[in-house]
Amino acid sequence: MKSIFHYLSIGSKAGKIPELDGLRALAILLVLCHHFMTFYSENHGSYVRGLLPEAVSHLLFNAWLGVDLFFVLSGYLIFHHLLNVQQHPNKKQTYGRYALKRVLRTFPLYYAIILLVSLGLIPYYRVAAAPSEYLVHFLFLQDYLGAHILVPLWSLATEEKFYILAPIFLLLTRRLSPVKTIGILVVFMLFMLALKTVVMIQSDQVLNHTKFFEQYRAPFHYAMVSILVGVVVAILARLPSSSKRHSAVVVATVLIIVIMLFTNLYNPENWLGLNILHLLVVMIFGVWVWAAVKNTGAWYLRFLTGRVLRVVSVLSYSLYLTHYTVLPWVYRLHKQHVTSEQAWIHAGSFLLIYLALTVAFSLLLHYLIEKPFLTIKDRL
């Protein structure tokens, strides 16, 4: 009986840096909010216009940036781990363990959700995908060729490519000083920003969010910039620093609040300006991760260490893979059982059904698929 309760427990033990768990939870909550807002506004736009202040509407639409927070966290955690591996006497064996751990962490749930979609086992979620589309996802090429089976899967293609390239980059820069390595990364990130800007200027295409996403957001060479910010943080965190720099965290937080509440980053009038603001937000996420690492235990970060956020963090991967699939089901249930025309009841009930189904589906996949493989991973 104890073993069953132990298996079912979630978030009972904090990580080495519990604040990072809180940031991961914040990332998935932002993603959930974004897809709730986009789906609900597409199907019930009149209720949104009559219910939410413009600032709140901006926040929910702009919450697509939660994926970038995931990327920054991933960049930090993976490269921090690899820097530790580099110091291990048996590097070859340790790198093999690193690769196996990445496979156990991401593959089972990833391929499980694709299988469920392909068999039509998720109520009301249907895709008309050719066999070639499944091959694209099997090879993690959907960041370039389109995530037509399940939109959120695009970011997994970015992550997997980074897992492969990160050890190679470390090998190539192992003899360089941290400052030179950071310099290379910064130059590369600025180059990618310049490249994206030039390509956008030369294109005569009228952009919307979907076209921007497909051409300038999802492709790995653009998306990896956010991950590289996390890599920079991993390198900086190892350098000696006597100053806690709380003021930088405060300024960064105030700035991102202003950006998220008072700018339109979902369908802006100036798409070139979005490039700058996007990079700025990602850099702020980097400041947050740096602060969590360097100032762990600080009183002003304590809100990130609570049990609820820890549970959300543990479930973040399964939440990410399931939340989009339940939206058609939520729409059906809501249409059948909610008849109120009051905006707050209509939107609130939709949100509650959405969260309930997402959490339930996530828990099911977490216990049946994700956790068994995580248990094996933790024993390596």
Side-chain angles (χ1 to χ4, degrees), residues 283-299:
M283 291 172 63
I284 291 172
F285 288 155
V287 172
W288 282 0
V289 173
W290 176 86
V293 172
K294 300 295 285 187
N295 303 333
T296 181
W299 64 269

Side-chain angles (χ1 to χ4, degrees), residues 187-371:
V187 169
F188 178 80
M189 288 187 284
L190 293 176
F191 172 77
M192 293 313 303
L193 174 64
L195 175 64
K196 187 194 301 187
T197 302
V198 169
V199 172
M200 290 175 69
I201 291 173
Q202 291 182 340
S203 173
D204 57 357
Q205 189 177 40
V206 178
L207 289 177
N208 55 33
H209 182 78
T210 300
K211 292 178 180 178
F212 176 82
F213 171 81
E214 292 174 349
Q215 298 176 31
Y216 306 109
R217 163 67 167 161
F220 172 71
H221 58 286
Y222 292 138
M224 71 180 296
V225 169
S226 300
I227 297 181
L228 294 182
V229 169
V231 173
V232 170
V233 173
I235 299 171
L236 283 175
R238 289 177 172 256
L239 299 178
S241 174
S242 58
S243 173
K244 297 295 184 179
R245 300 182 183 177
H246 301 308
S247 58
V249 181
V250 173
V251 171
T253 302
V254 171
L255 185 57
I256 197 172
I257 289 173
V258 172
I259 292 172
M260 295 293 280
L261 292 179
F262 301 107
T263 63
N264 179 1
L265 303 179
Y266 182 68
N267 260 321
E269 295 181 3
N270 183 353
W271 289 96
L272 293 176
L274 174 60
N275 288 338
I276 305 297
L277 288 176
H278 183 198
L279 181 59
L280 180 58
V281 169
V282 171
M283 291 172 63
I284 291 172
F285 288 155
V287 172
W288 282 0
V289 173
W290 176 86
V293 172
K294 300 295 285 187
N295 303 333
T296 181
W299 64 269
Y300 66 91
L301 296 174
R302 201 168 299 156
F303 74 98
L304 292 171
T305 63
R307 177 71 182 271
V308 173
L309 289 182
R310 216 157 52 234
V311 170
V312 175
S313 175
V314 172
L315 292 175
S316 60
Y317 187 38
S318 57
L319 287 168
Y320 185 77
L321 294 182
T322 59
H323 76 279
Y324 198 82
T325 66
V326 303
L327 283 167
W329 192 7
V330 174
Y331 179 82
R332 290 291 189 100
L333 289 174
H334 187 264
K335 188 175 182 178
Q336 291 172 1
H337 300 288
V338 178
T339 58
S340 175
E341 293 296 320
Q342 293 190 53
W344 70 272
I345 295 178
H346 195 275
S349 56
F350 191 99
L351 178 60
L352 288 175
I353 297 171
Y354 169 56
L355 292 176
L357 281 182
T358 299
V359 171
F361 193 10
S362 299
L363 284 169
L364 182 65
L365 292 186
H366 173 72
Y367 285 125
L368 293 181
I369 299 172
E370 183 180 22
K371 193 161 185 175

